[in-house]
Amino acid sequence: NIAPVNKNSSVINLTINNPVKEKAVDFLNALVIAYNKDAVSDKNQVSKKTKEFIDGRLEIVKEDLSGINNRLKNFKTKNKITDIEAESTLILQELSESNKSILNTSIQFILVKALNENLIKSNNGKDEVLPTNLGFQDQSIAQTIIEYNKQIAEKRRLLRTASEQNPVVIGVTEEIEGLKISLLKSLKNSEKVLDLKLQNLQLEDSKIKSRISGVPLQELEFHDIKLQREIIAGLYTYLLKKKEETDISLAVTVPNAKIIDKAYGSGNPISPKRKITYLAALLLGGLIPFVFIYLRFLFDTKIHSKKDILDTLSIPFIGSIPKSKSKEKIVISGDDRSSCAEAFRLIRTNLDFMLSSNDATCKTIFITSTTSGEGKSFVSINIASSLVLSGKKVLLIGLDLRAPKVTEYLNVPHKKGVSNFVLDSRLNIDELIFQVDELKNLDILSSGIVPPNPAELLMSKEIETLFKRLKEKYDYIVVDTAPVNLVTDTMLVAKYADMFVYVARANYLDKRLLEVPQALYKEKRLPNMAMVLNDTDPKNSNGYGYGYGYGYGYGYGVEEKPWYKKIFSKK
């Protein structure tokens, strides 16, 4: 982490979190050292480039100076001349001033030309910094060079952490190219100006020389050689001076950052903070279960217990059927004391109570539900079986002509039934009734073949005739009908029922669909309705009604203990 000491301070704090204190201290110290080295290197780039340029020019000027000295020596040896003082004082003064101007202009011209050549050579795609502080008379060129070098340094800094395609790098590159073009134009213009000025000075020098036409030819030749020697010697001296200045600049470069305090580590751990961790664990431990339970109840729209039925419906409730552990469809028999068997016995008692006001000899009990899959066929078979155990003569009719399930539950092959009787008047109803081994005293009439028009068949007079004949022979007729929310079949035969048992399956039926039986009860479209809740959880405390009596007075009820109670009970 890097942060200033305060808003108005130029001092920053560097901090790092690490399990090893010594490692973090060494890392921060090394980081500051590397930063300062990098800053010094950036500052010295321009000076190093200037030094390289001056060294190169010194080698060239040194060769030129050596050549002109050899020429002067050869001239004096050839003409056997040691000293020439034949010039008049006035002409020599004018000639001296002219020589000074030519000297200064030549130096400027040579520097501008050399820098121009150096800049042209750098157009090979590699941007290099340019030498500065060469003493140009044109200050705009010097300022442009400084700005150019500054942009080169910025580009190199950016390329350490970014690619050539980075938008900032592209912008800096374009700025460098613009400065380079501007600098080339300035150098070209300066070169032309200096060349023109040099020509004018040479012209003036020629005029002065013409005034001393009487001076011997050797003196004039000696003067030219001496002038060239002075120019080259002056340039050599100038470059040596600039080289010394550059060396001094390289030697005194200081880093950007000053270390106030070296890195140090804290003796106390900063992470993890135990109090905060314990507090967070405590909050999460309470919050997560609460959210889970809340969301579970929020999105749970299924019926689970008798309480859900009683809180929503005003229909009489006659019993709950717990989830059966066995896969058998017939759960009640003479010696069975299971929870399911006792539940159907309780329902049988409640049915007798609700049908006690009916003086009819035969009592018809119709079983229906809201949708398919709620267990109405299962309830029909076992209610009929429980009535048979009470010594009554009972008939079970499968009247769900669209999806018959009674014969499928009893593992009985396809048989003729109600639909066949309605379609074929020649059939005798007694021939269609059969029994199964599991329920020897229970007569069964299947639904028969699946007709293409079940609703029309149920509206026929043959159905009325069928019920009249059967009521003469039986004490109870249990009818498995179709779901009321899917088809209209059950409504068509409701007039033949003395009572309707409406089955709702726990953990299956949506609570919103309880509006269907409530509406039917209020509108009295199904006579003498009563609710039965199927497939409930025996461990659910809300499913009260038979949990107390199982095993009461008998030796059959064995409580199922949780695994942890079993372990401790063994001890």
Side-chain angles (χ1 to χ4, degrees):
N1 183 37
I2 304 174
V5 175
N6 54 60
K7 293 182 179 179
N8 300 321
S9 174
S10 61
V11 180
I12 63 172
N13 284 328
L14 303 181
T15 58
I16 184 172
N17 297 337
N18 194 280
V20 183
K21 180 176 67 174
E22 293 78 7
K23 178 180 179 181
V25 169
D26 293 341
F27 174 79
L28 289 179
N29 288 330
L31 178 65
V32 174
I33 293 172
Y35 173 78
N36 284 333
K37 286 182 178 179
D38 191 55
V40 172
S41 177
D42 287 343
K43 287 183 177 181
N44 287 338
Q45 280 187 3
V46 175
S47 298
K48 288 180 181 178
K49 189 62 180 179
T50 303
K51 183 180 178 182
E52 291 175 3
F53 174 77
I54 292 174
D55 289 339
R57 295 306 302 166
L58 279 173
E59 291 296 326
I60 297 173
V61 172
K62 186 177 181 181
E63 292 179 2
D64 293 343
L65 184 60
S66 177
I68 200 67
N69 285 333
N70 289 333
R71 183 181 172 189
L72 180 60
K73 182 185 70 171
N74 293 334
F75 175 79
K76 287 185 176 183
T77 302
K78 180 180 178 182
N79 293 283
K80 297 179 180 181
I81 298 173
T82 58
D83 188 16
I84 300 175
E85 294 183 28
E87 296 289 342
S88 63
T89 304
L90 181 60
I91 296 175
L92 288 176
Q93 287 179 353
E94 291 179 0
L95 190 60
S96 178
E97 293 294 330
S98 177
N99 289 341
K100 289 181 180 180
S101 298
I102 291 172
L103 174 62
N104 293 332
T105 306
S106 298
I107 291 173
Q108 291 290 320
F109 179 78
I110 292 171
L111 291 175
V112 169
K113 187 176 181 180
L115 186 61
N116 191 20
E117 291 174 355
N118 188 70
L119 187 60
I120 292 173
K121 289 180 181 179
S122 67
N123 283 336
N124 56 0
K126 183 177 179 182
D127 296 322
E128 298 289 347
V129 294
L130 299 176
T132 59
N133 197 20
L134 295 178
F136 290 111
Q137 294 178 353
D138 190 350
Q139 293 300 318
S140 64
I141 294 177
Q143 291 296 329
T144 305
I145 291 174
I146 293 173
E147 183 63 23
Y148 178 83
N149 290 338
K150 182 179 178 181
Q151 294 297 329
I152 291 293
E154 179 66 15
K155 180 179 178 181
R156 291 179 178 177
R157 185 185 67 80
L158 292 173
L159 287 177
R160 293 173 189 159
T161 57
S163 64
E164 290 285 349
Q165 287 74 30
N166 188 281
V168 179
V169 176
I170 293 172
V172 174
T173 303
E174 292 176 354
E175 182 69 18
I176 291 172
E177 291 299 324
L179 290 172
K180 185 182 291 184
I181 294 171
S182 176
L183 188 57
L184 285 172
K185 289 182 180 179
S186 299
L187 292 173
K188 196 68 176 177
N189 292 335
S190 181
E191 185 179 351
K192 291 180 180 179
V193 171
L194 291 172
D195 184 53
L196 182 60
K197 183 179 180 181
L198 188 59
Q199 290 177 10
N200 292 333
L201 291 172
Q202 289 174 349
L203 181 60
E204 290 295 328
D205 187 68
S206 298
K207 289 179 181 180
I208 295 172
K209 289 178 182 178
S210 66
R211 291 167 59 189
I212 57 172
S213 58
V215 179
L217 183 61
Q218 292 86 354
E219 186 177 355
L220 292 176
E221 187 176 355
F222 177 76
H223 176 72
D224 289 338
I225 295 173
K226 185 179 179 181
L227 176 60
Q228 292 179 14
R229 182 180 178 279
E230 289 177 355
I231 292 173
I232 295 174
L235 179 60
Y236 187 77
T237 304
Y238 177 80
L239 290 175
L240 284 176
K241 179 182 177 182
K242 292 300 178 183
K243 179 182 178 182
E244 192 66 23
E245 291 176 356
T246 305
D247 289 338
I248 294 172
S249 175
L250 288 170
V252 300
T253 304
V254 295
N256 288 347
K258 178 181 178 182
I259 302 174
I260 299 175
D261 288 323
K262 289 188 177 181
Y264 59 90
S266 173
N268 298 322
I270 60 171
S271 179
K273 297 181 179 179
R274 293 185 177 182
K275 292 183 179 180
I276 295 178
T277 303
Y278 290 151
L279 180 60
L282 183 62
L283 292 176
L284 290 176
L287 182 62
I288 292 176
F290 174 78
V291 172
F292 175 78
I293 295 171
Y294 174 76
L295 292 178
R296 181 178 180 183
F297 280 101
L298 181 65
F299 293 104
D300 185 10
T301 60
K302 304 297 183 182
I303 299 172
H304 297 290
S305 64
K306 172 183 176 181
K307 185 176 183 300
D308 295 331
I309 299 292
L310 297 178
D311 291 345
T312 307
L313 303 179
S314 58
I315 306 173
F317 187 84
I318 60 173
S320 298
I321 303 170
K323 186 187 295 292
S324 176
K325 294 183 179 180
S326 66
K327 296 183 179 180
E328 297 294 332
K329 301 302 179 182
I330 303 172
V331 297
I332 183 171
S333 60
D335 55 352
D336 193 352
R337 293 294 183 271
S338 66
S339 59
C340 283
E342 293 298 332
F344 278 107
R345 288 187 177 95
L346 181 61
I347 292 173
R348 179 186 63 190
T349 303
N350 291 332
L351 287 175
D352 288 340
F353 176 77
M354 295 190 70
L355 291 171
S356 60
S357 60
N358 191 343
D359 296 332
T361 304
C362 180
K363 299 169 184 176
T364 55
I365 303 172
F366 281 44
I367 315 295
T368 188
S369 63
T370 306
T371 62
S372 60
E374 295 193 66
K376 56 183 181 59
S377 299
F378 169 76
V379 173
S380 302
I381 294 171
N382 286 280
I383 285 179
S385 178
S386 66
L387 292 172
V388 168
L389 293 176
S390 65
K392 303 295 182 180
K393 190 173 184 181
V394 184
L395 172 66
L396 173 62
I397 301 178
L399 206 59
D400 187 352
L401 303 184
R402 299 175 188 265
K405 292 292 183 180
V406 173
T407 53
E408 180 181 340
Y409 275 33
L410 297 175
N411 293 322
V412 176
H414 174 71
K415 291 181 176 291
K416 293 181 179 181
V418 176
S419 57
N420 301 91
F421 175 78
V422 175
L423 294 173
D424 189 356
S425 59
R426 295 172 297 176
L427 291 175
N428 186 354
I429 190 65
D430 295 330
E431 297 175 355
L432 302 178
I433 295 173
F434 63 94
Q435 292 182 347
V436 294
D437 295 337
E438 294 84 351
L439 301 170
K440 296 181 180 180
N441 298 323
L442 176 63
D443 291 344
I444 303 171
L445 176 61
S446 68
S447 58
I449 62 172
V450 178
N453 55 344
E456 286 72 14
L457 290 182
L458 295 174
M459 293 173 61
S460 63
K461 293 183 179 180
E462 284 76 4
I463 295 295
E464 183 179 358
T465 303
L466 175 67
F467 275 101
K468 285 182 179 180
R469 292 182 182 179
L470 294 175
K471 284 183 178 182
E472 296 173 355
K473 300 180 179 181
Y474 295 95
D475 298 322
Y476 288 94
I477 298 177
V478 179
V479 183
D480 178 26
T481 63
V484 296
N485 198 41
L486 301 180
V487 292
T488 187
D489 298 1
T490 302
M491 300 298 179
L492 298 175
V493 296
K495 56 187 177 181
Y496 306 118
D498 295 319
M499 178 180 180
F500 260 92
V501 175
Y502 201 102
V503 179
R505 184 177 179 181
N507 305 313
Y508 180 81
L509 182 65
D510 196 305
K511 291 179 182 179
R512 293 169 290 187
L513 290 178
L514 291 177
E515 296 177 358
V516 176
Q518 183 64 23
L520 294 174
Y521 181 74
K522 285 186 177 181
E523 297 170 4
K524 298 183 179 180
R525 300 181 65 183
L526 299 180
N528 202 14
M529 282 182 63
M531 290 297 300
V532 169
L533 183 60
N534 182 30
D535 203 26
T536 61
D537 187 0
K539 297 179 181 179
N540 192 336
S541 60
N542 290 329
Y544 52 82
Y546 48 83
Y548 170 78
Y550 298 158
Y552 178 75
Y554 307 97
Y556 304 99
V558 179
E559 181 185 2
E560 184 69 22
K561 296 182 179 179
W563 60 271
Y564 55 87
K565 288 188 177 180
K566 293 180 180 178
I567 294 175
F568 289 111
S569 63
K570 291 179 181 180
K571 295 181 180 180

